[in-house]
Amino acid sequence: WGAAPLVWRHARRRGVPWVVSPHGSVPYFGRSLTIKRLAHAACGGAILQGAAGAVAITETERAALAHWVGPR
């Protein structure tokens, strides 16, 4: 996740829209599944739900992001 939570907080506080690009980390599967779920619970869900848009790299990821971000 790196700096994403920090950038998200600043953007949200200032009313700046943001776009997410999870680079294949949605849907949650594979390695580090527990860590991914913890990160999602901590702030990942809010980052996805509040996003103005999303960039998906696969059709599977697009479908998963549509659940969180919506068809924008």
Side-chain angles (χ1 to χ4, degrees), residues 9-37:
R9 278 191 213 118
H10 287 294
R12 188 181 54 145
R13 286 180 185 158
R14 289 167 178 75
V16 176
W18 62 90
V19 174
V20 295
S21 181
H23 303 285
S25 65
V26 175
Y28 305 119
F29 64 91
R31 297 182 353 213
S32 306
L33 186 57
T34 301
I35 293 171
K36 289 177 183 179
R37 287 186 175 152

Side-chain angles (χ1 to χ4, degrees), residues 21-66:
S21 181
H23 303 285
S25 65
V26 175
Y28 305 119
F29 64 91
R31 297 182 353 213
S32 306
L33 186 57
T34 301
I35 293 171
K36 289 177 183 179
R37 287 186 175 152
L38 289 171
H40 180 81
C43 66
I47 291 171
L48 291 174
Q49 289 175 336
V55 176
I57 60 171
T58 66
E59 185 61 30
T60 302
E61 187 172 63
R62 186 206 59 77
L65 284 169

